[in-house]
């Protein structure tokens, strides 16, 4: 692995941890305070986290302007894929396997960021050309 990939990976992890913390706190709060279903709470948490993720990764991880070319549209596509994966994991874990919502979130916060980094690096924030 080259140094830029390691730096990007570390920065992506930091931005991701920040976004993940926002996701988890918001989702648990929505579940508790708003009596939201697991999927609703997860969607609310994800919505807040995705904003942190986009702006943090555009600026700090990949050094790009926030609304550069087709980058935002590609990020939205990656984000929607991540959301679908996120919701699928949550649905299967909670509704099919009967696992606790917190455990489902634990699986989500490991799998979705790994997939998102690969897609972001190779496609969403790729260099022009």
């Amino acid at each position: 692995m080259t140094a830029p990939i390691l730096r990007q990976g570390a920065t992506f992890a930091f931005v991701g941890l920040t976004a993940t913390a926002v996701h988890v706190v918001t989702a648990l709060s929505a579940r508790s305070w708003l009596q939201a279903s697991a999927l609703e709470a997860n969607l609310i948490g994800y919505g807040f986290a995705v904003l942190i993720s986009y702006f943090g990764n555009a600026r700090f991880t990949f050094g790009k302007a926030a609304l550069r070319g087709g980058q935002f549209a590609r990020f939205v596509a990656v984000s929607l894929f991540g959301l679908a994966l996120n919701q699928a994991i949550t649905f299967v874990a909670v509704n099919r396997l009967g696992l606790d919502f917190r455990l489902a979130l634990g699986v989500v916060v490991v799998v979705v960021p790994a997939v998102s980094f690969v897609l972001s690096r190779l496609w969403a924030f790729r260099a022009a050309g």
Side-chain angles (χ1 to χ4, degrees):
M1 241 187 224
T2 64
I5 294 173
L6 290 175
R7 185 203 57 79
Q8 282 180 338
T11 306
F12 187 87
F14 178 77
V15 171
L17 287 171
T18 302
T20 297
V22 168
H23 177 175
V24 170
V25 168
T26 305
L28 291 174
S29 297
R31 182 95 160 136
S32 176
W33 297 342
L34 303 176
Q35 306 305 307
S37 72
L39 290 177
E40 291 167 339
N42 191 49
L43 182 62
I44 292 166
Y46 191 87
F48 279 92
V50 78
L51 294 173
I52 305 266
S53 181
Y54 176 71
F55 288 105
N57 283 312
R59 173 70 177 102
F60 300 113
T61 303
F62 300 106
K64 308 288 184 184
L67 299 176
R68 183 180 159 266
Q71 168 183 284
F72 183 70
R74 290 189 304 270
F75 178 82
V76 168
V78 169
S79 178
L80 290 174
F81 177 77
L83 174 60
L85 181 59
N86 183 325
Q87 291 287 75
I89 291 168
T90 301
F91 178 80
V92 169
V94 173
N95 296 91
R96 295 293 184 234
L97 301 176
L99 300 176
D100 186 80
F101 179 61
R102 292 169 291 192
L103 183 58
L105 279 178
V107 174
V108 163
V109 302
V110 171
V111 173
V112 175
V115 171
S116 295
F117 176 71
V118 171
L119 293 174
S120 293
R121 186 172 191 327
L122 297 179
W123 187 58
F125 294 102
R126 75 174 187 265

